[in-house]
């Protein structure tokens, strides 16, 4: 099945949540900057830190205009996670 929502970050978060894990406060590691979709899930589950090695360009979640991962303007989710680029 071709499911465009099955990104590694989302799959990892859902796997942990389905097992009853509290992922809030966790550190998420990825080789590439999380995309907009993954950034939404990361913010929703209140991940504390995101670590990645390579920016993903215009579809990444850390830079405007779709900086879901780094914006402080989304009060519903609280503070954004710390971002560490290796």
């Amino acid at each position: 099945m071709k499911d465009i929502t099955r990104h590694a970050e989302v799959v990892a978060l859902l796997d942990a949540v389905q097992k009853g894990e509290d992922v809030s406060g966790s550190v998420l590691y990825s080789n590439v900057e999380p995309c907009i979709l993954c950034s939404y899930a990361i913010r929703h589950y209140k991940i504390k830190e995101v670590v990645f090695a390579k920016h993903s360009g215009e579809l990444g979640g850390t830079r405007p205009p779709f900086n879901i991962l780094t914006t402080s303007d989304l009060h519903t989710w609280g503070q954004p996670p710390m971002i560490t680029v290796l």
Side-chain angles (χ1 to χ4, degrees), residues 9-81:
E9 296 88 343
V10 172
V11 170
L13 287 170
L14 291 177
D15 184 52
V17 169
Q18 289 172 351
K19 291 178 180 174
E21 299 291 329
D22 177 8
V23 296
S24 63
S26 298
V27 178
L28 185 141
Y29 292 87
S30 181
N31 59 338
V32 177
E33 171 189 13
C35 71
I36 300 163
L37 169 75
C38 295
S39 295
Y40 184 100
I42 290 165
R43 291 295 300 269
H44 176 80
Y45 287 111
K46 301 187 182 326
I47 300 302
K48 178 179 138 185
E49 181 179 4
V50 177
V51 179
F52 62 88
K54 181 181 176 186
H55 284 281
S56 61
E58 67 184 3
L59 296 179
T62 65
R63 294 182 271 182
F66 307 113
N67 56 324
I68 293 170
L69 198 55
T70 56
T71 185
S72 295
D73 294 337
L74 300 170
H75 303 290
T76 301
W77 287 327
Q79 290 300 309

